[in-house]
């Protein structure tokens, strides 16, 4: 696993741990939407036309 993936996994674990301990369930959909947007931005050029329809 790359260094980026390791740090991303640790960061997501911290967010979900925070949400679990503090019963902050509202933060989980925000994280999932941000992950989806990150995937769309870093995906191949074939998904580029679909990004413009989101905004």
């Amino acid at each position: 696993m790359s260094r980026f993936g390791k740090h991303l996994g640790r960061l997501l674990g911290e967010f979900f741990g925070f949400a679990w301990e503090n019963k902050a369930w509202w933060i989980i959909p925000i994280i999932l939407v941000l992950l989806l947007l990150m995937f769309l931005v870093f995906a191949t050029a074939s998904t580029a036309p679909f990004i413009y329809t989101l905004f």
Side-chain angles (χ1 to χ4, degrees):
M1 182 182 273
S2 69
R3 179 185 275 179
F4 176 74
K6 186 187 305 184
H7 290 297
L8 181 62
R10 179 180 258 173
L11 179 67
L12 289 176
E14 290 284 332
F15 274 124
F16 285 115
F18 171 80
W20 186 265
E21 282 186 27
N22 297 310
K23 307 285 190 274
W25 306 118
W26 54 269
I27 203 168
I28 293 174
I30 295 171
I31 293 170
L32 294 176
V33 167
L34 288 175
L35 285 174
L36 177 68
L37 286 176
M38 183 182 78
F39 174 74
L40 286 175
V41 168
F42 290 119
T44 61
S46 63
T47 59
F50 300 111
I51 294 173
Y52 295 113
T53 60
L54 293 175
F55 299 105

